[in-house]
Short mmCIF file of all heavy atoms in Angstrom, two decimals:
data_model
loop_
_atom_site.label_atom_id
_atom_site.label_comp_id
_atom_site.label_asym_id
_atom_site.label_seq_id
_atom_site.Cartn_x
_atom_site.Cartn_y
_atom_site.Cartn_z
N ARG A 108 10.00 -2.45 -14.39
CA ARG A 108 9.57 -1.26 -13.64
C ARG A 108 9.43 -1.56 -12.14
O ARG A 108 9.92 -0.81 -11.35
CB ARG A 108 8.24 -0.80 -14.19
CG ARG A 108 7.71 0.45 -13.53
CD ARG A 108 6.53 1.06 -14.34
NE ARG A 108 5.97 2.16 -13.70
CZ ARG A 108 4.93 2.23 -12.90
NH1 ARG A 108 4.26 1.06 -12.70
NH2 ARG A 108 4.45 3.34 -12.37
N VAL A 109 8.77 -2.67 -11.80
CA VAL A 109 8.47 -2.92 -10.41
C VAL A 109 9.73 -3.46 -9.63
O VAL A 109 9.68 -3.66 -8.46
CB VAL A 109 7.28 -3.82 -10.17
CG1 VAL A 109 6.04 -3.25 -10.81
CG2 VAL A 109 7.59 -5.25 -10.81
N SER A 110 10.77 -3.78 -10.35
CA SER A 110 12.03 -4.26 -9.75
C SER A 110 12.94 -3.12 -9.31
O SER A 110 14.04 -3.40 -8.74
CB SER A 110 12.78 -5.20 -10.71
OG SER A 110 12.03 -6.33 -10.99
N LYS A 111 12.54 -1.90 -9.58
CA LYS A 111 13.39 -0.79 -9.38
C LYS A 111 14.09 -0.69 -8.00
O LYS A 111 15.28 -0.35 -7.86
CB LYS A 111 12.60 0.51 -9.58
CG LYS A 111 13.36 1.81 -9.44
CD LYS A 111 12.51 3.02 -9.77
CE LYS A 111 13.27 4.34 -9.61
NZ LYS A 111 12.35 5.46 -9.91
N TYR A 112 13.34 -1.00 -6.95
CA TYR A 112 13.88 -0.83 -5.60
C TYR A 112 14.26 -2.23 -5.01
O TYR A 112 14.55 -2.34 -3.77
CB TYR A 112 12.85 -0.19 -4.76
CG TYR A 112 12.46 1.22 -5.18
CD1 TYR A 112 11.26 1.45 -5.77
CD2 TYR A 112 13.39 2.25 -5.01
CE1 TYR A 112 10.94 2.70 -6.25
CE2 TYR A 112 13.00 3.53 -5.47
CZ TYR A 112 11.78 3.76 -6.10
OH TYR A 112 11.47 5.06 -6.53
N LYS A 113 14.23 -3.29 -5.77
CA LYS A 113 14.46 -4.63 -5.25
C LYS A 113 15.85 -5.13 -5.47
O LYS A 113 16.28 -6.08 -4.90
CB LYS A 113 13.47 -5.61 -5.87
CG LYS A 113 11.98 -5.27 -5.56
CD LYS A 113 11.68 -5.30 -4.09
CE LYS A 113 10.16 -5.08 -3.89
NZ LYS A 113 9.95 -4.98 -2.44
N ASP A 148 1.34 -7.90 -6.40
CA ASP A 148 1.96 -7.74 -5.05
C ASP A 148 3.22 -6.85 -5.22
O ASP A 148 3.47 -6.01 -4.42
CB ASP A 148 2.36 -9.07 -4.42
CG ASP A 148 1.05 -9.89 -4.09
OD1 ASP A 148 0.00 -9.28 -3.98
OD2 ASP A 148 1.22 -11.04 -3.85
N ALA A 149 4.04 -7.21 -6.29
CA ALA A 149 5.27 -6.40 -6.52
C ALA A 149 4.91 -4.97 -6.86
O ALA A 149 5.62 -4.05 -6.48
CB ALA A 149 6.08 -7.07 -7.62
N LEU A 150 3.81 -4.79 -7.66
CA LEU A 150 3.41 -3.42 -8.09
C LEU A 150 2.98 -2.60 -6.86
O LEU A 150 3.25 -1.42 -6.77
CB LEU A 150 2.26 -3.52 -9.07
CG LEU A 150 1.69 -2.24 -9.60
CD1 LEU A 150 2.77 -1.42 -10.31
CD2 LEU A 150 0.50 -2.46 -10.61
N LEU A 151 2.25 -3.27 -5.95
CA LEU A 151 1.86 -2.60 -4.70
C LEU A 151 3.07 -2.10 -3.92
O LEU A 151 3.17 -0.96 -3.41
CB LEU A 151 0.99 -3.51 -3.88
CG LEU A 151 0.33 -2.95 -2.62
CD1 LEU A 151 -0.66 -1.75 -3.03
CD2 LEU A 151 -0.44 -4.00 -1.83
N ASP A 152 4.08 -2.98 -3.76
CA ASP A 152 5.29 -2.59 -3.09
C ASP A 152 6.01 -1.43 -3.80
O ASP A 152 6.49 -0.51 -3.16
CB ASP A 152 6.25 -3.80 -2.94
CG ASP A 152 5.78 -4.85 -1.97
OD1 ASP A 152 4.94 -4.49 -1.05
OD2 ASP A 152 6.20 -6.01 -2.04
N PHE A 153 6.03 -1.56 -5.10
CA PHE A 153 6.67 -0.48 -5.92
C PHE A 153 5.99 0.86 -5.72
O PHE A 153 6.64 1.87 -5.53
CB PHE A 153 6.64 -0.92 -7.39
CG PHE A 153 7.08 0.25 -8.31
CD1 PHE A 153 8.42 0.57 -8.47
CD2 PHE A 153 6.12 0.95 -9.04
CE1 PHE A 153 8.78 1.59 -9.36
CE2 PHE A 153 6.47 1.92 -9.93
CZ PHE A 153 7.84 2.29 -10.07
N ASN A 154 4.63 0.85 -5.74
CA ASN A 154 3.87 2.11 -5.53
C ASN A 154 4.14 2.70 -4.20
O ASN A 154 4.17 3.93 -4.04
CB ASN A 154 2.39 1.85 -5.81
CG ASN A 154 2.05 1.67 -7.27
OD1 ASN A 154 2.79 2.14 -8.09
ND2 ASN A 154 0.97 0.96 -7.51
N ARG A 155 4.27 1.80 -3.18
CA ARG A 155 4.50 2.34 -1.84
C ARG A 155 5.93 3.04 -1.86
O ARG A 155 6.06 4.15 -1.29
CB ARG A 155 4.55 1.16 -0.87
CG ARG A 155 3.18 0.54 -0.53
CD ARG A 155 3.35 -0.37 0.66
NE ARG A 155 2.08 -1.06 0.94
CZ ARG A 155 1.83 -2.34 0.78
NH1 ARG A 155 2.80 -3.07 0.32
NH2 ARG A 155 0.64 -2.84 1.08
N GLU A 156 6.94 2.34 -2.43
CA GLU A 156 8.26 2.96 -2.39
C GLU A 156 8.35 4.20 -3.31
O GLU A 156 9.07 5.19 -2.89
CB GLU A 156 9.26 1.92 -2.88
CG GLU A 156 9.22 0.65 -2.00
CD GLU A 156 10.58 -0.04 -1.84
OE1 GLU A 156 11.52 0.66 -1.41
OE2 GLU A 156 10.60 -1.27 -2.12
N GLU A 157 7.64 4.20 -4.40
CA GLU A 157 7.62 5.43 -5.23
C GLU A 157 6.97 6.59 -4.42
O GLU A 157 7.37 7.73 -4.53
CB GLU A 157 6.82 5.20 -6.45
CG GLU A 157 7.54 4.41 -7.56
CD GLU A 157 8.53 5.34 -8.32
OE1 GLU A 157 8.13 5.95 -9.32
OE2 GLU A 157 9.76 5.41 -7.93
N SER A 158 5.95 6.25 -3.67
CA SER A 158 5.26 7.28 -2.82
C SER A 158 6.11 7.80 -1.76
O SER A 158 6.13 9.00 -1.48
CB SER A 158 3.99 6.65 -2.20
OG SER A 158 3.10 6.22 -3.27
#
Side-chain angles (χ1 to χ4, degrees):
R108 181 169 179 263
V109 299
S110 296
K111 181 177 179 180
Y112 300 106
K113 299 300 182 185
D148 293 341
L150 179 60
L151 187 61
D152 287 340
F153 169 77
N154 286 336
R155 288 190 185 112
E156 302 213 53
E157 282 282 272
S158 298

